[in-house]
Amino acid sequence: MPCQQSSTANLLLRALSEADFALLAPHLEHEQLKFKDPIFNPNEPIERVYFLENGVASIVSEQENGDEVEVGLYGREGMSGAPVVMGAEQSPHASMVQVGDPAAYSIESARLLEACDTSATLRRLLTRYVQSLNIQAASTAASNAHYALPERLARWLLMCHDRTDDDRMELTHEFLSMMLAVRRSGVTVTLHTLEATGAIRSARGVVTVTNRSRLEEIAGDAYGQAEAEYRRLIGPFGGGRHGMAALASRSATSH
C-alpha cells in the first residue's frame, strides 16, 4: 500500500508540502526493522534512506580500541540520510536501531536526490533537518564536556522519551553506556541517582519515566537546544512543557 502522508507517523514526511511528498511517495517502501538492525555502515555507500515511524536509531562512532560512542540519534522526527542530502554519499559513522523494532519507510538514495534536484523546497526542508541534527551533535559534545552524569543521562532519557509513545523504554546498560561514553558501572550508579529523585524507575533493561518535569529540571540547559531548533525550522516536536504535548494542551484550551 502506498505511503499516505496523513497516516504516517514520521514528522518529517508529514512536514513536507503535498507536492514534495508526492515526489517521494511512489518510491517509499514500508519496512519492519528490528533491534540492532544496521541502517548504514561506516565508509560504505548509503544506498537507502530510512524515515522511522517509531523507535530510536543511533549514529555511532567506532573508536580505534573497538569502543562505540553515540554521536547522534533520530526517530520519528527525522531520517537516516543526512550524509546523502549533503551530497556526501557515505559516512565514517555507522547507524543502527537501538530502541524497539521500528516500522519505517525507506527510499533509494538516488531517488531521494532526484526528488531534491526537482524541488528546492524539498531540499530546503531536509537540509533544515540536517541543521537540527548538527545542533544535537554539538549539544552532545557540550553536554559531555560540561555536565555531570546525572544531567547527561537525564538529557538522553528525555531525547529517547521524545521519540516514543510510552513512558516505559527498553534501554540496555550497553546502550546507555554508549550514549554517555562511560562504563556500565557508571550507568548503574547514575540510574540509581535519578531513581532517588523520583524522575524514573529502573529495572533490568527497562527505564520508565515517572516524572518528566523532574527529569527536565535535572537535565537543565543540557537538554532542549536541538529540540527548539527542530521546532523553529520544521514543526512541533518533543514532550514536556515545550513539546507536542504542550501544543495539544494549548489547542484543546483554545477550543
Side-chain angles (χ1 to χ4, degrees):
M1 180 180 294
C3 177
Q4 301 294 320
Q5 188 174 21
S6 60
S7 61
T8 178
N10 183 275
L11 301 179
L12 193 55
L13 290 178
R14 291 176 69 95
L16 296 174
S17 69
E18 290 185 10
D20 287 342
F21 182 80
L23 292 173
L24 302 184
H27 310 295
L28 291 169
E29 298 182 12
H30 193 261
E31 297 191 32
Q32 185 64 52
L33 302 175
K34 295 181 180 180
F35 177 64
K36 287 293 187 181
D37 273 354
I39 303 295
F40 57 79
N41 296 316
N43 303 311
E44 294 181 8
I46 299 173
E47 297 181 353
R48 300 192 71 83
V49 171
Y50 290 80
F51 296 85
L52 271 59
E53 295 207 296
N54 47 61
V56 178
S58 293
I59 303 169
V60 176
S61 174
E62 185 172 313
Q63 309 302 299
E64 290 185 2
N65 63 2
D67 289 345
E68 293 179 330
V69 177
E70 185 181 74
V71 295
L73 62 79
Y74 56 94
R76 60 188 174 189
E77 89 293 351
M79 63 177 186
S80 65
V84 174
V85 172
M86 301 308 293
E89 299 180 354
Q90 63 185 43
S91 169
H93 300 141
S95 182
M96 66 195 72
V97 176
Q98 289 285 17
V99 178
D101 299 315
Y105 283 98
S106 73
I107 184 172
E108 291 181 8
S109 298
R111 295 290 190 184
L112 181 63
L113 289 175
E114 287 174 5
C116 287
D117 288 342
T118 300
S119 171
T121 55
L122 172 61
R123 183 180 293 277
R124 183 182 306 120
L125 185 70
L126 297 186
T127 53
R128 285 184 169 191
Y129 168 69
V130 175
Q131 162 70 2
S132 73
L133 195 62
N134 287 340
I135 297 300
Q136 183 198 117
S139 296
T140 296
S143 176
N144 290 345
H146 297 292
Y147 290 95
L149 282 177
E151 289 89 343
R152 289 162 56 191
L153 179 54
R155 171 181 181 260
W156 282 111
L157 291 176
L158 289 166
M159 293 172 69
C160 289
H161 195 238
D162 286 340
R163 291 162 173 83
T164 62
D165 292 317
D166 197 346
D167 291 334
R168 181 183 183 277
M169 299 177 288
E170 295 185 2
L171 299 170
T172 66
H173 275 51
E174 176 188 10
F175 177 44
L176 294 171
S177 174
M178 183 176 65
M179 289 196 316
L180 298 172
V182 298
R183 297 187 181 277
R184 294 187 192 184
S185 57
V187 170
T188 301
V189 171
T190 309
L191 283 171
H192 290 330
T193 299
L194 294 185
E195 277 191 289
T197 70
I200 67 166
R201 185 171 61 252
S202 177
R204 184 179 295 273
V206 175
V207 176
T208 302
V209 176
T210 54
N211 189 330
R212 164 108 189 183
S213 296
R214 181 69 184 114
L215 203 59
E216 289 186 10
E217 290 175 4
I218 295 168
D221 291 339
Y223 168 79
Q225 190 174 53
E227 293 73 21
E229 187 76 342
Y230 185 98
R231 290 190 290 269
R232 181 180 75 87
L233 295 174
I234 299 172
F237 171 62
R241 60 182 181 271
H242 300 303
M244 297 179 71
L247 183 71
S249 176
R250 289 195 296 271
S251 177
T253 302
S254 66
H255 288 84

